[in-house]
Amino acid sequence: MTRKKREYPLIEELEITALAAEGKAMGHYHDMVVFVPMTVPGDIVDVQIRVKRRRFMEGYVVRYRRKSPLREEPFCTHFGVCGGCKWQNLPYREQLKFKEGQVFDQLTRIGKVELPPISPIIGSQETRFYRNKLEFTFAPRRWYTYEEIARGDDIEAAPALGFHIPNMFDKVMDVDRCWLQPDPSNDIRLAVKRFCIEHDYPFYNIREHSGLMRNLIVRTSSTGEVMVIVVFAVEDEARIVPLLDHLAVQFPQITSLMYMINPKLNDSTNDLEARLYRGRDHIFEEMEGLRFKIGPKSFYQTNSRQAYELYKVARKFAGLSGTEIVYDLYTGTGTIANFVAGQCAKVVGVEYVPEAIEDARSNSALNGIANTVFYAGDMKDVLDDAFVARNGRPDVIILDPPRAGVHEDVIGTILRAAPQRIVYVSCNPATQARDLALLDADYRVTAVQPVDMFPHTHHVENVVRLERR
């Protein structure tokens, strides 16, 4: 006997009342929360439910009965299909209000610690073309929107070079113009796609694991330099060389032209060799007179201009006088460590990725900074009492962990090291709040500063200063 497909209700004239987590908005239906993406508070919509749980439902808009006066016209033609920039339909000032409120809610509801007044969020000076890195994916057949299918258009079976459709590893939306990265990003992507189509280069099929063209990575910098990395599925010199030569001629402003060969079943590139074809194997970022070397696998905050604002907050919260030993935990390529080195006696940086630590050391040498030392390894294994004894007890600890937050063993070592101040930089206020609760017995929160790094998304960075009780 075949199971009958579950039928979900169509809710008519649902009022969207508030923004919610992960870029969604919500309304209420018979005392149940209904999450609806791509809507804003004040919208009145008919919603087709697609997920129903005991306490909430999720659905999508089938008809707008009345659009909210808050609503703003999205500037990107891919809005609603592409997984990024979900808040283009919301004025930037409203986005900042929600992000500031999100920080307050998560620190109070999850952390349950005493807080000072939260400083007004620092908005991004640039809300378009603010990213310095994008990765595009090739596919032999582009994603067709629901609207195209519903109209019965004569759809051409065209290939794609763009972004993955959310939650669909094998579906790629072809990008016409992306508003995230400055020139010449769009022109480079379109030129690569055009050349590959004209010369019959097969686009990679992730399901069948066939084809040549896999990924295109473009990095730009505040110094005006450009890095392009083309990822091929197989070694095919007869096709690789003409494409790279074409890029070099068409875009002489490319500082670093590289390529990778990826025969694996997944698109990850961290374990692949980056081969230099033209130019140098790095580009430079600059911040307050410091130069940072960015290689093909280097991590650097993707909003360069706003990263400067974030690091200024971290340095201010550290309250350095010139005599302190500072630990920069989860240091990455040592950007924060080198940024604060001129105002303290010594900086000790720790990071999991060995290549990042090599970049950190190179950046210190590049800038003539002699008071930094860097260690590679898993934080919970490296940072122990013996490590503190060898490197000196920290006066200040700066934390900038991944979204998962700080491991409980690391929290224990921090508490035993007993620094006077802790500066906690977080891309996830929820896990930050959890960690603040673990530190609360010995440390009180004395300052909170949200910083918006990613306009038109729900993501927010938050910096907290803790002082020893």
Side-chain angles (χ1 to χ4, degrees):
M1 186 176 73
T2 58
R3 180 180 294 179
K4 184 179 179 181
K5 186 177 180 180
R6 184 176 298 179
E7 294 183 0
Y8 291 118
L10 174 70
I11 300 175
E12 296 183 338
E13 298 189 12
L14 177 74
E15 181 180 2
I16 303 300
T17 56
L19 293 174
E22 299 179 1
K24 299 174 184 175
M26 67 181 190
H28 291 84
Y29 178 72
H30 293 172
D31 298 324
M32 184 177 283
V33 173
V34 181
F35 294 109
V36 188
M38 306 300 170
T39 57
V40 302
D43 282 340
I44 307 293
V45 292
D46 293 347
V47 179
Q48 177 60 59
I49 300 301
R50 62 177 185 84
V51 175
K52 189 175 183 181
R53 300 288 186 264
R54 189 165 62 89
R55 295 183 178 178
F56 69 91
M57 296 186 287
E58 291 187 31
Y60 58 90
V61 175
V62 296
R63 181 184 177 189
Y64 283 91
R65 298 279 186 155
R66 189 182 76 209
K67 291 190 175 182
S68 169
L70 275 182
R71 178 175 284 274
E72 192 159 273
E73 190 65 29
F75 49 82
C76 180
T77 57
H78 303 300
F79 176 77
V81 181
C82 173
C85 305
K86 293 179 180 177
W87 280 354
Q88 282 186 31
N89 56 2
L90 194 65
Y92 188 52
R93 64 181 181 277
E94 298 296 328
Q95 298 176 30
L96 294 178
K97 282 182 189 176
F98 178 76
K99 293 184 183 191
E100 195 174 299
Q102 179 184 349
V103 168
F104 175 80
D105 173 70
Q106 292 179 331
L107 294 192
T108 54
R109 180 172 51 83
I110 299 173
K112 296 183 173 62
V113 298
E114 184 179 353
L115 296 174
I118 294 177
S119 298
I121 188 170
I122 299 174
S124 180
Q125 295 181 57
E126 298 168 341
T127 60
R128 304 179 188 184
F129 305 118
Y130 61 82
R131 286 186 67 98
N132 57 40
K133 180 184 178 184
L134 284 179
E135 181 170 339
F136 306 101
T137 301
F138 292 85
R141 191 180 181 94
R142 73 174 179 86
W143 170 261
Y144 307 125
T145 67
Y146 296 116
E147 290 78 6
E148 285 178 311
I149 295 170
R151 288 196 306 264
D153 292 351
D154 184 14
I155 300 174
E156 181 185 357
L161 177 54
F163 300 124
H164 283 279
I165 297 295
N167 304 316
M168 295 184 182
F169 79 98
D170 61 335
K171 310 298 183 190
V172 176
M173 180 200 73
D174 192 50
V175 175
D176 177 32
R177 186 186 191 203
C178 180
W179 294 76
L180 281 173
Q181 191 175 30
D183 294 335
S185 177
N186 279 303
D187 289 340
I188 288 172
R189 185 192 67 258
L190 293 173
V192 169
K193 179 188 172 188
R194 186 165 51 248
F195 183 93
C196 291
I197 291 174
E198 289 174 355
H199 294 82
D200 295 321
Y201 283 28
F203 287 27
Y204 191 75
N205 187 316
I206 192 69
R207 281 191 175 274
E208 298 177 1
H209 304 295
S210 62
L212 176 66
M213 306 304 303
R214 291 199 69 158
N215 301 100
L216 174 69
I217 302 166
V218 181
R219 301 188 81 145
T220 54
S221 75
S222 59
T223 61
E225 296 185 334
V226 180
M227 174 182 287
V228 176
I229 308 166
V230 185
V231 184
F232 302 92
V234 294
E235 190 86 59
D236 186 347
E237 186 176 352
R239 283 174 161 162
I240 291 173
V241 169
L243 173 58
L244 297 181
D245 282 344
H246 177 72
L247 279 175
V249 171
Q250 290 290 109
F251 301 96
Q253 67 268 50
I254 293 177
T255 312
S256 174
L257 181 56
M258 310 186 78
Y259 71 101
M260 297 178 176
I261 307 298
N262 181 11
K264 303 181 304 174
L265 301 183
N266 63 68
D267 283 341
S268 64
T269 59
N270 284 336
D271 57 343
L272 301 177
E273 177 192 2
R275 306 180 188 181
L276 180 64
Y277 188 77
R278 191 74 60 89
R280 45 178 154 83
D281 66 355
H282 59 276
I283 58 177
F284 286 108
E285 275 286 357
E286 285 188 357
M287 186 181 295
E288 211 173 73
L290 298 174
R291 284 165 64 81
F292 296 97
K293 181 180 175 182
I294 310 297
K297 301 179 188 178
S298 298
F299 171 79
Y300 193 83
Q301 286 282 1
T302 52
N303 185 337
S304 300
R305 189 168 181 177
Q306 197 68 349
Y308 179 44
E309 301 301 323
L310 182 73
Y311 295 158
K312 282 195 296 184
V313 171
R315 185 174 61 188
K316 176 183 175 183
F317 281 7
L320 302 174
S321 64
T323 61
E324 295 85 359
I325 295 176
V326 177
Y327 281 18
D328 180 25
L329 306 185
Y330 312 94
T331 190
T333 56
T335 314
I336 293 179
N338 286 299
F339 189 69
V340 304
Q343 297 187 12
C344 62
K346 177 183 179 182
V347 185
V348 179
V350 183
E351 167 60 42
Y352 178 74
V353 181
E355 293 87 354
I357 288 299
E358 289 304 313
D359 284 341
R361 291 170 179 152
S362 294
N363 286 326
S364 288
L366 178 68
N367 291 284
I369 297 171
N371 62 334
T372 58
V373 290
F374 295 100
Y375 298 89
D378 192 318
M379 192 69 62
K380 63 181 173 50
D381 299 329
V382 172
L383 189 74
D384 55 20
D385 296 339
F387 179 91
V388 173
R390 288 195 305 272
N391 288 279
R393 189 183 72 81
D395 301 292
V396 177
I397 288 181
I398 300 174
L399 300 168
D400 190 2
R403 291 188 63 79
V406 183
H407 193 280
E408 200 166 338
D409 291 350
V410 178
I411 294 281
T413 304
I414 291 172
L415 290 172
R416 291 191 296 276
Q420 182 59 37
R421 279 181 300 284
I422 299 171
V423 179
Y424 191 149
V425 182
S426 173
C427 60
N428 186 352
T431 54
Q432 184 185 49
R434 177 204 66 199
D435 295 340
L436 294 181
L438 296 175
L439 294 163
D440 187 55
D442 293 354
Y443 289 88
R444 60 188 179 90
V445 176
T446 58
V448 180
Q449 178 63 72
V451 181
D452 184 29
M453 301 287 288
F454 304 106
H456 311 301
T457 78
H458 64 281
H459 298 291
V460 61
E461 297 268 339
N462 190 48
V463 190
V464 170
R465 182 179 65 212
L466 300 104
E467 302 271 358
R468 187 164 175 79
R469 292 187 186 278

